[in-house]
Amino acid sequence: MQTRSPAGRAGRPRSAAADAAILAATRAALVELGWSKLTLGDVATRAGVAKTTLYRRWAGKNELVVDAVAELFDELELPDRGSLAADIEGVVLQFAAILALPAARSGLMAVVAEATRDEALRERIRASVVDRQKRLVLEGRARAQARGELPPEPDPRSAARTVDLIFDMVAGAVVHRTLVSAEPADEEWVRGFTRVLLQGLTQNPAGSV
Protein backbone atom coordinates (compact mmCIF):
# COMPACT_ATOMS: atom_id res chain seq x y z
CA MET A 1 0.00 0.00 0.00
CA GLN A 2 1.20 3.51 -0.70
CA THR A 3 1.67 5.61 2.41
CA ARG A 4 -0.31 8.80 2.12
CA SER A 5 -0.65 11.69 4.53
CA PRO A 6 -3.45 14.23 4.65
CA ALA A 7 -2.72 17.91 4.20
CA GLY A 8 -0.82 18.65 7.39
CA ARG A 9 -0.35 21.75 9.48
CA ALA A 10 2.70 23.09 11.26
CA GLY A 11 3.31 21.69 14.73
CA ARG A 12 4.35 18.49 16.38
CA PRO A 13 5.42 15.49 14.25
CA ARG A 14 2.63 13.41 12.78
CA SER A 15 1.84 9.95 14.11
CA ALA A 16 1.29 7.39 11.35
CA ALA A 17 -0.48 5.11 13.83
CA ALA A 18 -2.90 7.88 14.82
CA ASP A 19 -3.58 8.72 11.17
CA ALA A 20 -4.33 5.06 10.38
CA ALA A 21 -6.64 4.74 13.41
CA ILE A 22 -8.51 7.93 12.50
CA LEU A 23 -9.04 6.92 8.86
CA ALA A 24 -10.18 3.42 9.86
CA ALA A 25 -12.56 4.92 12.43
CA THR A 26 -13.94 7.27 9.79
CA ARG A 27 -14.75 4.38 7.49
CA ALA A 28 -16.40 2.45 10.31
CA ALA A 29 -18.50 5.48 11.26
CA LEU A 30 -19.55 5.97 7.64
CA VAL A 31 -20.88 2.43 7.45
CA GLU A 32 -22.64 2.56 10.82
CA LEU A 33 -23.93 6.14 10.90
CA GLY A 34 -23.93 7.35 7.30
CA TRP A 35 -22.66 10.68 6.03
CA SER A 36 -25.23 12.94 7.68
CA LYS A 37 -24.72 11.60 11.23
CA LEU A 38 -20.95 11.24 11.10
CA THR A 39 -19.15 13.75 13.32
CA LEU A 40 -15.50 14.37 14.07
CA GLY A 41 -16.27 13.84 17.75
CA ASP A 42 -17.56 10.33 17.06
CA VAL A 43 -14.53 9.55 14.89
CA ALA A 44 -12.18 10.78 17.62
CA THR A 45 -13.86 8.55 20.19
CA ARG A 46 -13.66 5.51 17.94
CA ALA A 47 -10.01 6.19 17.12
CA GLY A 48 -9.07 6.82 20.76
CA VAL A 49 -7.68 10.30 20.11
CA ALA A 50 -8.60 13.82 21.17
CA LYS A 51 -10.89 15.78 18.89
CA THR A 52 -8.19 18.44 18.62
CA THR A 53 -5.94 15.79 17.07
CA LEU A 54 -8.34 15.52 14.13
CA TYR A 55 -8.52 19.29 13.68
CA ARG A 56 -4.75 19.53 13.57
CA ARG A 57 -4.84 17.17 10.57
CA TRP A 58 -8.12 17.91 8.78
CA ALA A 59 -10.12 21.13 8.46
CA GLY A 60 -13.45 19.29 8.57
CA LYS A 61 -15.52 16.25 7.74
CA ASN A 62 -15.29 16.61 3.97
CA GLU A 63 -11.49 16.41 3.91
CA LEU A 64 -11.43 13.58 6.44
CA VAL A 65 -13.85 11.40 4.49
CA VAL A 66 -12.01 12.02 1.19
CA ASP A 67 -8.75 10.86 2.76
CA ALA A 68 -10.41 7.85 4.40
CA VAL A 69 -11.83 6.74 1.05
CA ALA A 70 -8.63 7.56 -0.84
CA GLU A 71 -6.69 5.22 1.43
CA LEU A 72 -8.82 2.33 0.18
CA PHE A 73 -7.97 3.10 -3.45
CA ASP A 74 -4.28 3.18 -2.59
CA GLU A 75 -4.60 -0.60 -2.23
CA LEU A 76 -5.04 -0.90 -6.00
CA GLU A 77 -2.19 -2.59 -7.84
CA LEU A 78 -1.67 -3.34 -11.51
CA PRO A 79 -0.93 -7.06 -11.77
CA ASP A 80 1.46 -8.29 -14.44
CA ARG A 81 -0.66 -10.99 -16.05
CA GLY A 82 1.27 -11.18 -19.31
CA SER A 83 -0.87 -9.02 -21.61
CA LEU A 84 -2.50 -5.62 -21.65
CA ALA A 85 -6.00 -7.10 -21.71
CA ALA A 86 -5.31 -9.40 -18.77
CA ASP A 87 -3.67 -6.56 -16.81
CA ILE A 88 -6.72 -4.33 -17.35
CA GLU A 89 -9.09 -7.09 -16.30
CA GLY A 90 -7.09 -7.64 -13.13
CA VAL A 91 -7.07 -4.03 -12.00
CA VAL A 92 -10.73 -3.43 -12.96
CA LEU A 93 -11.80 -6.42 -10.86
CA GLN A 94 -9.83 -4.98 -7.92
CA PHE A 95 -11.43 -1.56 -8.45
CA ALA A 96 -14.92 -3.06 -8.53
CA ALA A 97 -14.19 -5.01 -5.34
CA ILE A 98 -13.18 -1.82 -3.54
CA LEU A 99 -16.30 -0.01 -4.74
CA ALA A 100 -18.36 -2.88 -3.35
CA LEU A 101 -17.09 -2.10 0.16
CA PRO A 102 -19.77 -0.24 2.15
CA ALA A 103 -17.28 2.42 3.32
CA ALA A 104 -16.02 3.12 -0.19
CA ARG A 105 -19.51 3.19 -1.65
CA SER A 106 -20.99 5.45 1.05
CA GLY A 107 -17.98 7.72 1.32
CA LEU A 108 -17.41 8.24 -2.39
CA MET A 109 -21.03 8.99 -3.20
CA ALA A 110 -21.29 11.38 -0.24
CA VAL A 111 -18.21 13.45 -1.05
CA VAL A 112 -19.04 13.57 -4.75
CA ALA A 113 -22.49 14.91 -3.86
CA GLU A 114 -20.97 17.51 -1.51
CA ALA A 115 -18.39 18.47 -4.13
CA THR A 116 -21.10 19.70 -6.50
CA ARG A 117 -21.19 22.88 -4.41
CA ASP A 118 -17.66 22.95 -3.03
CA GLU A 119 -14.79 23.69 -5.41
CA ALA A 120 -12.12 23.05 -2.76
CA LEU A 121 -13.58 19.61 -2.11
CA ARG A 122 -13.58 18.84 -5.85
CA GLU A 123 -9.89 19.72 -5.95
CA ARG A 124 -9.17 17.47 -2.97
CA ILE A 125 -10.99 14.54 -4.59
CA ARG A 126 -9.04 15.13 -7.80
CA ALA A 127 -5.70 15.27 -5.97
CA SER A 128 -6.31 12.50 -3.44
CA VAL A 129 -8.17 9.97 -5.59
CA VAL A 130 -8.09 10.74 -9.31
CA ASP A 131 -4.54 12.00 -9.77
CA ARG A 132 -3.09 9.41 -7.40
CA GLN A 133 -4.69 6.50 -9.24
CA LYS A 134 -3.59 7.66 -12.69
CA ARG A 135 -0.32 5.97 -11.72
CA LEU A 136 -2.01 2.70 -12.73
CA VAL A 137 -2.62 3.96 -16.27
CA LEU A 138 0.95 5.23 -16.55
CA GLU A 139 2.33 1.91 -15.31
CA GLY A 140 0.07 -0.17 -17.55
CA ARG A 141 0.79 1.91 -20.64
CA ALA A 142 4.56 1.74 -20.07
CA ARG A 143 4.38 -2.03 -19.58
CA ALA A 144 2.29 -2.51 -22.73
CA GLN A 145 4.66 -0.31 -24.74
CA ALA A 146 7.62 -2.38 -23.52
CA ARG A 147 5.80 -5.53 -24.69
CA GLY A 148 5.10 -3.95 -28.07
CA GLU A 149 1.33 -3.98 -27.50
CA LEU A 150 1.03 -0.19 -27.69
CA PRO A 151 3.00 2.28 -29.83
CA PRO A 152 5.20 4.87 -28.13
CA GLU A 153 3.70 8.32 -27.68
CA PRO A 154 6.66 10.77 -27.64
CA ASP A 155 4.65 14.01 -27.41
CA PRO A 156 4.14 14.68 -23.65
CA ARG A 157 0.90 16.63 -24.12
CA SER A 158 -0.62 13.96 -26.32
CA ALA A 159 0.51 11.27 -23.88
CA ALA A 160 -1.07 13.14 -20.95
CA ARG A 161 -4.37 13.44 -22.83
CA THR A 162 -4.29 9.72 -23.55
CA VAL A 163 -3.74 8.94 -19.87
CA ASP A 164 -6.67 11.17 -18.89
CA LEU A 165 -8.91 9.56 -21.48
CA ILE A 166 -8.06 6.00 -20.46
CA PHE A 167 -8.54 6.77 -16.78
CA ASP A 168 -11.88 8.48 -17.40
CA MET A 169 -13.15 5.59 -19.52
CA VAL A 170 -12.18 2.91 -17.01
CA ALA A 171 -13.12 4.73 -13.81
CA GLY A 172 -16.31 6.17 -15.28
CA ALA A 173 -17.54 2.84 -16.57
CA VAL A 174 -16.84 0.94 -13.36
CA VAL A 175 -18.27 3.62 -11.06
CA HIS A 176 -21.41 3.89 -13.19
CA ARG A 177 -21.81 0.12 -13.34
CA THR A 178 -21.40 -0.48 -9.62
CA LEU A 179 -22.71 2.69 -7.96
CA VAL A 180 -25.24 4.14 -10.41
CA SER A 181 -26.67 1.09 -12.17
CA ALA A 182 -26.04 -1.09 -9.10
CA GLU A 183 -25.02 -4.00 -11.32
CA PRO A 184 -22.11 -6.35 -10.63
CA ALA A 185 -18.82 -5.77 -12.39
CA ASP A 186 -18.14 -9.49 -12.52
CA GLU A 187 -15.58 -11.33 -14.63
CA GLU A 188 -17.90 -11.64 -17.63
CA TRP A 189 -18.69 -7.91 -17.63
CA VAL A 190 -15.03 -7.00 -17.12
CA ARG A 191 -13.96 -9.19 -20.07
CA GLY A 192 -16.55 -7.57 -22.32
CA PHE A 193 -15.65 -4.07 -21.15
CA THR A 194 -11.94 -4.70 -21.73
CA ARG A 195 -12.61 -6.04 -25.21
CA VAL A 196 -14.60 -2.95 -26.17
CA LEU A 197 -12.00 -0.66 -24.60
CA LEU A 198 -9.13 -2.19 -26.55
CA GLN A 199 -10.83 -2.98 -29.86
CA GLY A 200 -13.41 -0.22 -30.16
CA LEU A 201 -17.06 -0.64 -30.98
CA THR A 202 -16.60 -0.97 -34.74
CA GLN A 203 -14.38 -4.05 -34.31
CA ASN A 204 -16.51 -5.70 -31.63
CA PRO A 205 -18.70 -8.54 -32.95
CA ALA A 206 -22.40 -7.92 -32.41
CA GLY A 207 -23.74 -9.46 -29.28
CA SER A 208 -20.35 -10.43 -27.88
CA VAL A 209 -20.50 -8.12 -24.85
Side-chain angles (χ1 to χ4, degrees), residues 69-134:
V69 172
E71 188 176 57
L72 294 175
F73 292 115
D74 282 341
E75 298 286 350
L76 281 168
E77 295 180 352
L78 185 68
D80 188 346
R81 302 172 73 179
S83 72
L84 177 58
D87 290 355
I88 292 173
E89 289 174 10
V91 75
V92 169
L93 286 169
Q94 287 181 56
F95 184 34
I98 290 173
L99 289 175
L101 297 173
R105 183 170 61 248
S106 300
L108 187 60
M109 294 187 76
V111 294
V112 168
E114 289 295 313
T116 60
R117 51 183 177 270
D118 187 335
E119 176 62 28
L121 181 57
R122 284 198 295 275
E123 289 297 328
R124 194 175 186 92
I125 293 170
R126 184 178 298 115
S128 298
V129 179
V130 176
D131 290 346
R132 289 179 68 84
Q133 298 314 318
K134 284 182 182 177

Side-chain angles (χ1 to χ4, degrees), residues 24-40:
T26 301
R27 292 190 292 269
L30 271 172
V31 174
E32 183 178 332
L33 303 175
W35 169 267
S36 62
K37 295 182 180 179
L38 184 149
T39 66
L40 267 64

